Amino acid sequence: MVAAGAALADEVGLAQLTMGSLAERLGVRTPSLYKHVAGQEDLNRRIASLALSQAADAVGVAIQGYAGRDALSAAARAFRTFVLDHPGRYAATIGVEPATPDDPMATAGHRLLDAFMAVLRGYEIKPPDVDHALRMIRSLFHGFATLQSANGFQWSADIDETFDWLITFTDRGLRTI
């Protein structure tokens, strides 16, 4: 049911996902869904957990065998592709905090963070700067992907060339820290 909700969120947008629309998609009555989730908020949290887990898998697989700029590029591309392919489920991850340390969302979020930490190990970043570097790459790649997903780049420059430029810029910055 969560997978169906995530797929529907990708199609119609997270804001348009309702228990009623999901029940209709599944061919059941809305009260039937409450056997599986506590309500809309619970559904959205489960979608967020699924999305973080899937993003972690995508980035983790992409960086295997790579280091430095190659790992950065692989991670950035995998993350961007995930966001573009799954905009609704990715939107569920924004601004949601794990309820407890053992919340599946926390576990999935740590897996995604670990994948980006693996990328940063290819750079000589001092331990006090690691959090800053993580925030920077998340901001850059999240911002780019969500803007692209929302059709936020209206000018004529090729989007893929701009993304390549962003990766090069980020790599150069990480090498100078």
Side-chain angles (χ1 to χ4, degrees):
M1 184 195 64
V2 174
L8 185 56
D10 289 339
E11 290 174 30
V12 302
L14 183 66
Q16 303 304 315
L17 174 66
T18 65
M19 297 294 281
S21 64
L22 179 57
E24 183 178 323
R25 167 65 60 92
L26 294 173
V28 300
R29 295 175 45 87
T30 303
S32 300
L33 298 179
Y34 290 93
K35 295 177 187 172
H36 306 280
V37 295
Q40 186 71 49
E41 182 179 334
D42 184 32
L43 175 62
N44 289 356
R45 291 181 67 75
R46 290 173 189 236
I47 291 170
S49 180
L50 175 66
L52 288 170
S53 182
Q54 291 172 331
D57 289 345
V59 173
V61 167
I63 65 172
Q64 291 295 316
Y66 294 110
R69 186 191 192 290
D70 293 336
L72 178 69
S73 178
R77 291 176 197 294
F79 184 76
R80 176 184 174 211
T81 297
F82 179 81
V83 173
L84 294 176
D85 290 349
H86 305 291
R89 71 185 73 186
Y90 181 70
T93 70
I94 308 305
V96 179
E97 295 291 326
T100 62
D102 62 340
D103 184 328
M105 193 167 50
T107 303
H110 286 295
R111 286 183 47 238
L112 182 57
L113 183 64
D114 288 345
F116 280 106
M117 285 289 293
V119 169
L120 292 180
R121 282 194 285 277
Y123 296 90
E124 295 179 18
I125 299 173
K126 295 174 188 83
D129 294 330
V130 170
D131 283 348
H132 303 304
L134 282 170
R135 287 179 180 148
M136 179 194 71
I137 61 175
R138 177 168 187 235
S139 297
L140 290 171
F141 300 136
H142 158 82
F144 193 99
T146 54
L147 280 168
Q148 184 179 357
S149 178
N151 200 26
F153 298 123
Q154 298 295 317
W155 45 92
S156 63
D158 180 82
I159 292 173
D160 291 330
E161 287 180 26
T162 304
F163 195 69
D164 289 340
W165 193 91
L166 179 69
I167 291 167
T168 299
F169 180 82
T170 304
D171 174 65
R172 286 180 184 159
L174 289 171
R175 289 182 189 285
T176 62
I177 292 176

